[in-house]
Amino acid sequence: MLFRSRYIQLVCAQEGAREKGAEIVKFVQGNAGVVGGLASVPILLDILICAWDTLKGLRGDEGAPLTMTRLYSQLENFLWVQYMVRKGHLSPEQVRNTDQYTKSEIYKRLGSEEVAVNPLVMARVAHWILRRNQIEFVARDAMAGDDFSADDRLRWKATHFLQCVNPTDERKDEMDRTYVFAHLTLHEYFAATHIAHCFRLGGGQVGGEELTRIFEELKYNPRYSIVWAFVAGLLAEDGGGEGVELLFDYLERDPVDQFGFAHQRLILSCLIECAGALSVRREARLMDELFRFIWAQYCADRKSTRLNSSH
């Protein structure tokens, strides 16, 4: 933490913004459980510093508690706006504060004929790659299947979220370059964005069939442990209700892991990200089940310890 604090203060001092540096350090220290992991990754810490002036909604004591999803959602908004500024679709004067734009407004601007970017295409690509346990990808290969339309391929753009693996690829068409997401958590966040979109499609045929396939294959996949937490948080951002309840319907649906802690970790991580979005009765039941499980493990561990000591 000492290195991070010094790095933040050094970067902000170079900008002539020492007070800003002190504010960021205080924010990171006060929210270590949520921000600590992000702040330990240089590229994510740089994004946090750049986006600081646009994160006012997360920095106060009022409103909903800070969660990993809320933080990454705000960083996503910031990076999309910066992309549009870089491409000349927005002027710096229009974006003095990213808070003035909601995510739906940003997505609408991105989807306009002028910008022609569909963030949900990148989200689907992120899920496609993660599902195959890949990190690097070539956009044309990732979008070669029937899951992607010709319009999807037209609306693929290399953005701030991606890094080109091979410098010589810069001479190639964007679709033929090899990319990685700037950090694995950004990759996981966008994979979650795709799954959350499937939930928003509801119990209909398109969303339902895709969700069934995803949960049958990936429910306890370790690569998706953070993804599910992001999904819960993204659905909670919609106001909770039906989407979050449907998520927990799938999480509690068979098969349920009866051995070890995988299921309990999954439920707890999702509950943390969507606190208050579930029905009171369901949340109370899940918390009671978690408490009973933890207590049973504690009692079993104590009994085992006594038996071992007696021998």
Side-chain angles (χ1 to χ4, degrees), residues 37-294:
L38 178 149
S40 66
V41 180
I43 189 169
L44 296 179
L45 183 56
D46 285 337
I47 294 172
L48 178 66
I49 294 170
C50 291
W52 181 247
D53 292 336
T54 72
L55 299 178
K56 293 177 181 177
L58 300 180
R59 287 148 48 187
D61 295 328
E62 68 284 351
L66 178 65
T67 62
M68 183 173 62
T69 309
R70 287 188 68 212
L71 179 59
Y72 275 78
S73 183
Q74 287 294 313
L75 294 179
E76 180 200 1
N77 289 354
F78 170 78
L79 289 172
W80 279 128
V81 168
Q82 294 306 306
Y83 170 80
M84 288 189 279
V85 170
R86 189 185 72 180
K87 293 295 184 180
H89 301 302
L90 287 173
S91 68
E93 291 72 25
Q94 289 177 287
V95 292
R96 294 193 182 280
N97 187 350
T98 307
D99 284 351
Q100 71 194 69
Y101 298 110
T102 64
K103 190 176 299 297
S104 61
E105 289 170 337
I106 291 171
Y107 275 30
K108 186 175 180 180
R109 278 180 174 269
L110 288 166
S112 67
E113 290 301 318
E114 178 190 8
V115 187
V117 174
N118 185 352
L120 294 176
V121 172
M122 189 163 70
R124 211 177 325 149
V125 168
H127 169 61
W128 188 93
I129 303 159
L130 197 64
R131 194 172 193 169
R132 287 156 181 79
N133 204 30
Q134 296 175 212
I135 295 176
E136 297 181 1
F137 67 98
V138 175
R140 192 177 303 279
D141 294 342
M143 290 188 280
D146 295 336
D147 290 341
F148 297 88
S149 66
D151 186 63
D152 289 338
R153 298 179 186 99
L154 287 174
R155 290 178 179 271
W156 166 266
K157 298 289 188 299
T159 67
H160 291 62
F161 303 99
L162 303 171
Q163 292 179 329
C164 192
V165 173
N166 189 343
T168 61
D169 280 0
E170 295 292 344
R171 292 191 289 266
K172 297 180 181 179
D173 183 86
E174 284 188 354
M175 290 286 288
D176 296 314
R177 299 172 190 170
T178 302
Y179 296 102
V180 293
F181 278 83
H183 190 260
L184 179 58
T185 49
L186 286 172
H187 189 165
E188 292 164 330
Y189 173 82
F190 274 101
T193 298
H194 167 69
I195 298 173
H197 179 65
C198 292
F199 275 101
R200 293 184 188 109
L201 293 175
Q205 184 176 3
V206 176
E209 289 180 358
E210 175 69 358
L211 287 172
T212 299
R213 287 197 299 269
I214 289 171
F215 276 89
E216 286 177 352
E217 181 184 345
L218 302 166
K219 183 175 177 181
Y220 296 116
N221 187 320
R223 289 292 303 273
Y224 272 72
S225 58
I226 293 177
V227 174
W228 298 127
F230 275 136
V231 172
L234 288 167
L235 293 174
E237 278 194 344
D238 294 344
E242 185 177 339
V244 179
E245 295 289 345
L246 185 58
L247 168 63
F248 278 85
D249 286 344
Y250 276 96
L251 292 177
E252 295 190 87
R253 186 178 296 178
D254 287 334
V256 173
D257 180 37
Q258 301 292 341
F259 304 97
F261 308 100
H263 185 71
Q264 286 71 28
R265 278 198 299 265
L266 175 61
I267 294 294
L268 182 59
S269 65
C270 291
L271 282 174
I272 290 170
E273 291 297 310
C274 70
L278 271 177
S279 67
V280 174
R281 178 176 294 182
R282 187 172 207 166
E283 186 167 338
R285 174 178 62 78
L286 290 170
M287 291 300 294
D288 181 64
E289 289 173 0
L290 285 169
F291 175 79
R292 290 174 182 275
F293 176 84
I294 293 168

